[in-house]
Amino acid sequence: MAKAVKKAAKKAAPKKAAKKAAPKKAAKKAAKKAAPKKKSARKPNAAFMAPLAPSAALADVIGTKSLPRTEIVKKIWDYIKKNNLQDKKNRRMINADAKLKTLFAGKAQISMFDLAKIVSKHVK
């Protein structure tokens, strides 16, 4: 009968595994504070910053000045927003006016995701 009482006492006693988890967490926090990771400085890709000369059709929209690819896309979006050329129902589509139609190879409407392909065709 003494064995049965000891087994019941063991089952009722709280487990010590839960107490061991707390020191591990504290050790991890202390390790993070002790050795902070160095952030590597992110360097911009020089290919995006290289000035590109626009074609005649693109120059009608953004100007004749050579600009980086990122600035060219920004200027095209400025033109689209200024002239209210984004489709009302499907905002991903861009409606072409006379200047953009020559840029879009005669298409009346393109997807905004095709804009990068179009820019690459019209820069040198």
Side-chain angles (χ1 to χ4, degrees):
M1 206 183 226
K3 287 184 180 179
V5 173
K6 284 184 181 178
K7 283 185 180 179
K10 281 186 180 179
K11 287 184 181 178
K15 294 186 178 183
K16 291 183 181 179
K19 288 184 181 180
K20 287 183 181 178
K24 285 183 183 176
K25 286 183 182 177
K28 284 183 181 178
K29 285 183 182 179
K32 282 185 181 178
K33 288 181 183 177
K37 292 182 181 178
K38 292 181 182 178
K39 289 187 178 181
S40 61
R42 186 166 176 254
K43 297 176 185 173
N45 190 345
F48 283 118
M49 300 329 257
L52 301 168
S55 68
L58 185 58
D60 289 341
V61 178
I62 66 163
T64 56
K65 188 177 175 185
S66 292
L67 295 169
R69 185 178 302 274
T70 54
E71 292 297 318
I72 291 172
V73 173
K74 280 184 189 177
K75 292 225 180 219
I76 292 172
W77 272 108
D78 290 342
Y79 180 84
I80 290 166
K81 289 176 182 175
K82 183 179 122 187
N83 294 309
N84 203 19
L85 296 173
Q86 203 169 0
D87 195 51
K88 299 288 183 215
K89 290 182 181 178
N90 188 354
R91 305 283 293 168
R92 290 181 290 184
M93 299 306 282
I94 301 167
N95 298 322
D97 63 352
K99 288 182 182 179
L100 288 182
K101 205 164 197 168
T102 58
L103 191 65
F104 297 164
K107 294 180 183 175
Q109 191 178 49
I110 65 153
S111 169
M112 69 170 61
F113 304 112
D114 295 333
L115 203 56
K117 284 192 274 186
I118 289 168
V119 168
S120 65
K121 289 178 184 176
H122 287 279
V123 293
K124 295 176 188 172

